[in-house]
Amino acid sequence: MGGYSYEKNRDLGIFLSLALLAGCGESSPGADGPDPCGTSEDIRNAAALEAASPFGDGWQAKGTLAEYENGYISMKLTLPEGWDWQEDPAEGGTEGILFWDGEKPDQRFRLSAWPNVFAMCGTGVDFSDVTLASGAQLTEAREGDRWIVLIFDGVPGSYTVRPQGGTLNSTVWDAKWREQILTILDTAELGGDALTEDEAIAKAAEVFSGDYDAAYGSYDLRTGVWSVWFITGDQDAAVTVDVEENAVVGNGENG
């Protein structure tokens, strides 16, 4: 899935693909006959539709900044007019922000930081990738007719967004909340000035010698240290990257 809305991106992709197949953009100035694939204005309008916000133009400038920091935990969100929030520093070992539409206060969402890393049983759960307009990557989890969680990927720390108090019916989530919540999450700033996973892997690769098939990183919100693992076959090797961005071979903790 890409952008805020899968449907919008799909429609834009179909429009542009058909345009290319029909030869859009290849006709020379002054060519006779109508343009079979529409005008450049049509394409601009399609792009504007894909980029449209459910909160209207310029909503961020009129919005409210919600933020929470504690040690190496750092999170910020911009909320649209009419939405509210509060710090929620203690829920099952996590810390975070509760936020909600002021007109629908019974349904609240929680942006959580997990010092011990978020984990869930994957049996029967469908996972899908979500890419926001900013390029931020998330994993979305559903089980049957229940929407469960959004998990941020590649950020310094384990951060999730879930409905307060459990799960949501998937139909309700898709129809009433998904586009709005993804739009809000596209403003998220997580981890402060800490390295992202890609940046930590690149830093660790500077001191790791040898080839590898894959690499991944795990950020400890308690210490501010990245553990980067380089995988070759059934072997792995660890490199830690500390808060000063110093990389050291052999001191990682797998997990």
Side-chain angles (χ1 to χ4, degrees):
M1 297 183 189
Y4 307 123
S5 169
Y6 170 78
E7 295 296 331
K8 289 182 180 178
N9 280 335
R10 185 194 64 179
D11 294 343
L12 178 61
I14 292 172
F15 180 90
L16 295 179
S17 296
L18 292 174
L20 289 173
L21 289 173
C24 266
E26 297 179 358
S27 58
S28 59
D32 295 331
D35 184 346
C37 54
T39 67
S40 57
E41 183 177 358
D42 294 327
I43 297 175
R44 287 195 298 271
N45 289 340
L49 174 63
E50 189 274 338
S53 163
F55 305 123
D57 294 338
W59 71 271
Q60 292 189 47
K62 298 178 287 186
T64 298
L65 180 64
E67 55 186 329
Y68 177 85
E69 294 191 4
N70 182 22
Y72 295 105
I73 295 172
S74 177
M75 60 180 77
K76 296 180 182 180
L77 285 177
T78 299
L79 300 174
E81 283 187 301
W83 285 60
D84 206 349
W85 70 283
Q86 68 181 48
E87 292 185 359
D88 192 22
E91 181 185 280
T94 69
E95 303 175 40
I97 290 171
L98 275 174
F99 60 101
W100 62 92
D101 183 342
E103 295 182 355
K104 303 171 184 176
D106 291 340
Q107 180 57 68
R108 303 186 178 199
F109 296 88
R110 192 174 194 269
L111 172 59
S112 301
W114 298 75
N116 293 317
V117 181
F118 174 77
M120 61 180 290
C121 176
T123 303
V125 178
D126 294 320
F127 296 95
S128 59
D129 296 329
V130 178
T131 303
L132 303 182
S134 63
Q137 303 283 328
L138 300 93
T139 298
E140 186 170 22
R142 302 171 187 248
E143 183 178 13
D145 63 355
R146 297 186 306 146
W147 176 76
I148 302 173
V149 66
L150 284 163
I151 307 163
F152 281 89
D153 300 326
V155 298
S158 184
Y159 292 88
T160 64
V161 172
R162 300 188 297 171
Q164 185 187 26
T167 62
L168 266 180
N169 177 274
S170 284
T171 301
V172 174
W173 163 247
D174 288 330
K176 295 184 177 181
W177 297 107
R178 188 174 188 275
E179 185 177 15
Q180 295 183 74
I181 297 303
L182 291 183
T183 300
I184 290 170
L185 296 186
D186 206 26
T187 71
E189 299 177 30
L190 304 174
D193 295 329
L195 298 175
T196 65
E197 183 180 19
D198 286 344
E199 291 169 340
I201 291 173
K203 181 65 68 173
E206 295 176 1
V207 301
F208 178 77
S209 60
D211 298 327
Y212 57 92
D213 300 322
Y216 72 92
S218 177
Y219 184 81
D220 192 331
L221 283 170
R222 297 163 298 183
T223 63
V225 173
W226 276 102
S227 293
V228 177
W229 292 87
F230 295 96
I231 313 300
T232 305
D234 59 356
Q235 302 294 317
D236 56 39
V239 176
T240 59
V241 182
D242 65 21
V243 293
E244 302 297 330
E245 301 184 11
N246 299 308
V248 180
V249 176
N251 290 334
E253 296 183 3
N254 200 346

